[in-house]
Amino acid sequence: MINLYQKLDILPTASEAEIQAALISKQTQLEPNIIQAIQAWLLVADVRVRYDAKLQEVYPEFFQIDGLVENEAEQSILQLWQPEIIMLLALIFSPIFGAWLVVMNWREIGEDADAQFNLYVVWGLIALALLMVLVSSVTGMVVSPLLSVMVAVFVWACWFGLLGREQLNFVRNELDNVYEYKSWLKPIIVLLIGILVYFVCIILLILLLKQLGLLHPSLAA
């Protein structure tokens, strides 16, 4: 659960005027969803009461005068890539890409077991993709574009239903969709490098099969 008081560098006993002043002061530093959460949870009296009660259950020491944490670094807000966008990118590009992003998000959240399981999925899907290339290169089997798309959508649906949706629901229900958006520059770079490495691996695999005399005649030419 996100501690919005620490995001504003104020105490939980702050008045509405103090909250508004802190919000104005830090508005340029906060993500839009954080600002919305502050306005909806801290500036509405009855909602704030419920929020404080829930926050006190999670961070009881924060409400003890001697233990008030004023250093934002101690309870920094999570930085995540938006799960909704991850699911869409996984459908457009590959569940491999989506699963890798989910791994990074789980690590940031602190759910190492979920991160590790999704990492197994990443390597498993990579191995499956290379195996399909191997089989196609040896047998000369050609898969129609339509069938390829259908298989890709099926794999995505299985991944989303079993793993992807879990993070989507966690962020919505446990974090209340309150987190800082991470830049998409790194994932885009990783995606481009991943595509390049994948095609290099395919070329090397085909050259190896040709050298071993296992490459199908239709591809050997």
Side-chain angles (χ1 to χ4, degrees):
M1 182 177 183
I2 304 305
N3 191 330
L4 296 174
Y5 293 110
Q6 287 181 335
K7 195 61 183 172
L8 292 173
D9 285 332
I10 59 176
L11 302 179
T13 54
S15 66
E16 182 177 335
E18 290 173 327
I19 294 173
Q20 289 176 332
L23 179 58
I24 292 173
S25 174
K26 291 183 170 291
Q27 194 159 14
T28 57
Q29 306 171 27
L30 301 174
E31 295 286 348
N33 59 333
I34 302 298
I35 295 174
Q36 292 174 3
I38 292 170
Q39 293 171 336
W41 299 347
L42 299 188
L43 294 177
V44 180
D46 57 335
V47 176
R48 182 181 177 185
V49 171
R50 295 195 298 273
Y51 172 79
D52 285 354
K54 188 175 180 180
L55 186 67
Q56 191 165 8
E57 291 179 4
V58 180
Y59 304 117
E61 70 282 355
F62 181 74
F63 288 81
Q64 298 172 3
I65 299 301
D66 293 334
L68 288 174
V69 181
E70 297 184 34
N71 185 357
E72 180 183 349
E74 293 189 27
Q75 290 288 343
S76 58
I77 192 169
L78 294 174
Q79 295 183 338
L80 306 172
W81 288 297
Q82 298 98 305
E84 295 86 355
I85 296 180
I86 290 176
M87 304 308 145
L88 179 60
L89 292 178
L91 179 60
I92 295 174
F93 295 106
S94 168
I96 297 174
F97 183 54
W100 175 75
L101 290 171
V102 167
V103 168
M104 296 298 104
N105 272 356
W106 278 133
R107 287 177 176 174
E108 172 70 12
I109 293 170
E111 297 291 338
D112 293 333
D114 288 317
Q116 189 62 42
F117 192 80
N118 276 273
L119 189 58
Y120 292 147
V121 172
V122 171
W123 290 115
L125 290 176
I126 290 175
L128 178 61
L130 292 176
L131 178 61
M132 291 175 64
V133 172
L134 175 63
V135 171
S136 177
S137 300
V138 172
T139 63
M141 179 180 63
V142 178
V143 179
S144 69
L146 177 59
L147 181 59
S148 297
V149 171
M150 291 175 62
V151 170
V153 172
F154 175 75
V155 172
W156 174 87
C158 292
W159 169 76
F160 174 75
L162 296 173
L163 297 174
R165 186 167 53 185
E166 180 183 359
Q167 186 169 105
L168 192 65
N169 292 336
F170 182 92
V171 172
R172 285 176 177 172
N173 300 329
E174 300 299 325
L175 301 183
D176 297 318
N177 274 331
V178 178
Y179 57 91
E180 288 184 352
Y181 298 155
K182 294 183 74 171
S183 169
W184 286 97
L185 178 61
K186 178 181 176 181
I188 291 173
I189 293 175
V190 170
L191 175 62
L192 294 176
I193 294 175
I195 292 174
L196 177 62
V197 171
Y198 177 69
F199 280 108
V200 168
C201 288
I202 291 177
I203 293 172
L204 292 176
L205 178 61
I206 291 176
L207 290 176
L208 177 61
L209 292 174
K210 185 175 182 180
Q211 199 70 18
L212 296 173
L214 297 175
L215 189 64
H216 193 271
S218 64
L219 299 174

